[in-house]
Amino acid sequence: MKKGFIVLILMIIIVSSTSCQVRQNQKPTTYKKSDKASEGLYRIVENINDIIIDVEKAGKLSATFNESTSLIEADILKEKEKKKEEIKKAWEEINSKIKDSHESWNKYEKEIMERGATSEYILKFKNSLNGLTVAVENRENKDIINYGSKALFDFSPFLELYKDEFRGETSRIKYYVYQSYLAGENNELEKAKDLLDMTEEYTAGLRQKIEDDQKKMKIFEKLVLSLQDMKEAINVGNNNLLKIKRDIILQNIKDIEE
């Protein structure tokens, strides 16, 4: 009886010791949390992107305001009223996004400062956003593209405060693409090409951050080719062609960001 009891005790000790050893050898499960800007913060960039796109749409509506294929005067007036309402609605939407951008900035400025953003970068972005706001009020389309793209560029340092965030690079690429387009429109062809060359630094940075994502890398290859296509199109000196090539680049960037 005593012998059996001793054997039982020894078995319990062995099992307990083995269990402890297994637990010690087990490594705790770790989860890598991505360090990216919040969608609320990035909403500022999305608003600015949308403003530039919407302004060009509003410009098209305004350009066709006096055009009509109808021969009946009543239909012409009806068509004009419809376009007038569409133009009004487009600008109301743009103004709403401007207001939302200012409100979002006020909400997230403290977070950016705590992340380490310098007062110099903060002031640059504020000036760009204010310039964009005035341009929208004056309905100056080229100024809106100019200040809008500058706002994207000046916001990018804040996105780069997040180590896994690649949209700082895409925002800078957009800036140079828009500025190249504006230079091309003004027939400053060499300047337009030089501006596109400036994207190389940021496409290289973008590649490093997304190289593990095969889907994004396939789109990235299209992006690089589309940048080269736009540069070649500059020599043609046709604004419509330049805009088509520009929009292909912007769509590729949008696809990468999604």
Side-chain angles (χ1 to χ4, degrees):
M1 181 74 178
K2 187 176 180 182
K3 185 178 179 181
F5 180 74
I6 292 170
V7 171
L8 179 62
I9 293 296
L10 287 171
M11 288 178 65
I12 292 171
I13 292 170
I14 291 168
V15 170
S16 177
S17 175
T18 304
S19 177
C20 289
Q21 189 174 4
V22 169
R23 284 198 297 270
Q24 286 174 357
N25 290 336
Q26 285 179 340
K27 293 182 179 179
T29 304
T30 57
Y31 298 94
K32 186 179 178 183
K33 187 177 179 181
S34 179
D35 184 30
K36 288 187 176 182
S38 66
E39 289 307 308
L41 177 61
Y42 192 69
R43 183 175 174 177
I44 298 170
V45 176
E46 290 178 330
N47 278 337
I48 296 168
N49 282 327
D50 290 345
I51 287 165
I52 298 173
I53 293 168
D54 291 348
V55 157
E56 292 193 327
K57 289 179 181 177
K60 281 184 180 179
L61 287 170
S62 298
T64 60
F65 182 72
N66 292 318
E67 295 177 5
S68 178
T69 56
S70 175
L71 298 176
I72 303 173
E73 187 175 350
D75 288 344
I76 293 173
L77 292 173
K78 187 177 179 181
E79 185 67 22
K80 281 190 174 183
E81 282 300 314
K82 182 182 176 182
K83 285 187 178 180
K84 188 176 180 180
E85 188 60 32
E86 287 175 352
I87 293 168
K88 180 185 175 184
K89 189 175 180 180
W91 282 103
E92 284 176 350
E93 184 68 23
I94 291 166
N95 285 323
S96 175
K97 286 174 181 174
I98 281 285
K99 183 181 178 183
D100 186 69
S101 296
H102 283 279
E103 290 172 349
S104 295
W105 171 251
N106 178 253
K107 183 177 179 180
Y108 289 100
E109 183 177 2
K110 188 173 185 294
E111 176 187 325
I112 290 168
M113 291 172 69
E114 289 173 349
R115 273 273 173 170
T118 65
S119 56
E120 179 186 358
Y121 282 132
I122 288 172
L123 182 60
K124 279 184 178 180
F125 173 70
K126 285 180 177 179
N127 287 339
S128 294
L129 183 58
N130 291 342
L132 175 60
T133 304
V134 173
V136 166
E137 184 180 355
N138 294 333
R139 298 193 179 185
E140 293 288 344
N141 288 16
K142 284 189 177 181
D143 285 347
I144 292 169
I145 295 173
N146 180 37
Y147 280 107
S149 61
K150 282 183 178 179
L152 292 175
F153 187 90
D154 292 335
F155 195 83
S156 61
F158 308 142
L159 296 172
E160 289 165 359
L161 295 171
Y162 302 82
K163 65 183 180 66
D164 297 323
E165 185 60 75
F166 63 81
R167 292 176 293 191
E169 280 80 6
T170 56
S171 292
R172 290 179 189 268
I173 295 169
K174 288 175 197 173
Y175 164 76
Y176 285 113
V177 169
Y178 276 121
Q179 291 295 322
S180 175
Y181 169 73
L182 290 174
E185 268 201 327
N186 291 332
N187 206 34
E188 299 173 282
L189 304 187
E190 289 305 314
K191 180 181 178 181
K193 285 187 277 187
D194 289 343
L195 284 162
L196 275 187
D197 285 340
M198 298 293 285
T199 63
E200 291 180 8
E201 176 184 349
Y202 304 108
T203 52
L206 175 60
R207 184 189 186 98
Q208 287 181 346
K209 290 186 176 181
I210 65 170
E211 60 186 356
D212 292 333
D213 190 321
Q214 291 185 357
K215 184 179 178 182
K216 289 188 186 299
M217 281 303 298
K218 285 182 180 179
I219 305 169
F220 175 81
E221 290 169 4
K222 289 166 59 180
L223 171 62
V224 172
L225 292 172
S226 61
L227 284 163
Q228 183 60 37
D229 287 346
M230 181 174 173
K231 188 174 180 180
E232 292 169 0
I234 290 170
N235 292 322
V236 179
N238 182 279
N239 290 342
N240 185 52
L241 174 62
L242 198 60
K243 185 178 183 300
I244 290 170
K245 296 299 185 182
R246 181 205 73 180
D247 289 347
I248 292 171
I249 294 170
L250 296 173
Q251 184 60 52
N252 284 331
I253 293 173
K254 184 179 179 181
D255 291 343
I256 289 172
E257 289 178 336
E258 288 178 347

